[in-house]
Amino acid sequence: KTTDGVSIAFATVGEGLPLVQMPSTIGHIQLEWQIPECRGWYERLARTAKVIRYDPRGEGLSERNVSDFSLDAQVLDLEAVVDGLGLERFALVGFFTSGPVAITYAARHPDRVSHLLLWCSWARAADAYEAQPAQSIAALRDRDWTTYTETVAHVLLGWSAGEPVRRWAGLMREAVTQETMHEVLLEAMQFDATGLLPDLRTPTLVLQRRQAAFPEVGIARGLASRIPDARLAVLEGESLLVYLDDSEAVL
């Protein structure tokens, strides 16, 4: 339960260094576990770490009847999970829209975040959403929910994927309603944590797929350059999902 009264669903697997994987734009911890490639990824991570996942407010198994999706509200989701588990120190992974939330939490709690990893993400959402691919996809969101989810799935998995795209699009439609997705993205497009970057003291790794249509490699370079002593790893592939393309390189 968050301090503003929202119930957050979470799951853990493995033992070792706590590794908190924040949700991407859309999350459903139960349905993700049923995708063989996704489950295999978490099981590989769990060989050396305690992997902690959670669904964001308004989505998946977390409380759905929510109206506040602001950056600070999403920080409360993360705080509820790590405080509820009693984690004193942990590694934090931010994906896509959760990047600014991860940056904000790490800046506020430098003593608790041992490592910060940012996957295909950004500090200022406008940098990513101003790109033409993002604008084109956003135009579908309120017009055709099915086409929108299938298009997003293609962006995540790559344009050559077949059955995995249909499976992921179905997960999206089950994880969140069209109306909630509209509100979530309206808020996410305003996120801006750039002012916190120069003061980050957490060892940070920025990871990016070179051929991904969105966000572009230049955003990752700019992000890494503004964080003191951050490392940038540009990996081959077009999929925005860590467990596809060359997942060994990501691991």
Side-chain angles (χ1 to χ4, degrees), residues 86-100:
L87 303 182
E88 295 182 1
R89 196 161 170 79
F90 54 91
L92 185 60
V93 187
F95 286 82
F96 319 133
T97 56
S98 66

Side-chain angles (χ1 to χ4, degrees), residues 65-248:
N65 188 22
V66 181
S67 58
D68 186 0
F69 300 103
S70 64
L71 190 151
D72 283 336
Q74 295 194 33
V75 170
L76 295 182
D77 295 352
L78 174 59
E79 288 178 343
V81 173
V82 297
D83 291 349
L85 287 170
L87 303 182
E88 295 182 1
R89 196 161 170 79
F90 54 91
L92 185 60
V93 187
F95 286 82
F96 319 133
T97 56
S98 66
V101 184
I103 291 166
T104 301
Y105 184 91
R108 293 177 182 176
H109 304 279
D111 56 325
R112 298 187 69 178
V113 182
S114 62
H115 305 79
L116 177 63
L117 298 96
L118 300 171
W119 171 265
C120 294
S121 190
W122 47 81
R124 189 173 79 101
D127 294 338
Y129 285 105
E130 286 171 355
Q132 186 57 50
Q135 293 289 325
S136 299
I137 295 170
L140 286 171
R141 188 177 62 238
D142 300 322
R143 292 207 307 263
D144 189 329
W145 182 231
T146 298
T147 302
Y148 171 78
T149 56
E150 290 177 353
T151 302
V152 171
H154 272 295
V155 171
L156 289 173
L157 280 74
W159 292 98
S160 60
E163 178 59 31
V165 164
R166 289 186 289 274
R167 187 170 54 197
W168 193 263
L171 180 151
M172 291 170 62
R173 292 192 291 271
E174 196 162 337
V176 65
T177 66
Q178 182 177 6
E179 294 74 23
T180 296
M181 189 78 269
H182 177 84
E183 295 302 320
V184 166
L185 287 177
L186 278 182
E187 285 286 354
M189 290 171 69
Q190 308 304 316
F191 289 177
D192 187 354
T194 51
L196 301 174
L197 298 180
D199 299 323
L200 279 179
R201 295 296 175 261
T202 302
T204 301
L205 175 62
V206 177
L207 299 123
Q208 173 71 31
R209 283 256 165 84
R210 189 185 307 277
Q211 288 82 21
F214 164 80
E216 298 176 342
V217 174
I219 291 177
R221 291 198 188 101
L223 177 60
S225 70
R226 293 195 291 270
I227 300 173
D229 301 319
R231 290 181 55 210
L232 170 66
V234 179
L235 308 171
E236 299 305 317
E238 64 174 356
S239 176
L240 294 180
L241 298 181
V242 291
Y243 56 81
L244 296 181
D245 287 338
D246 189 356
S247 61
E248 288 298 326

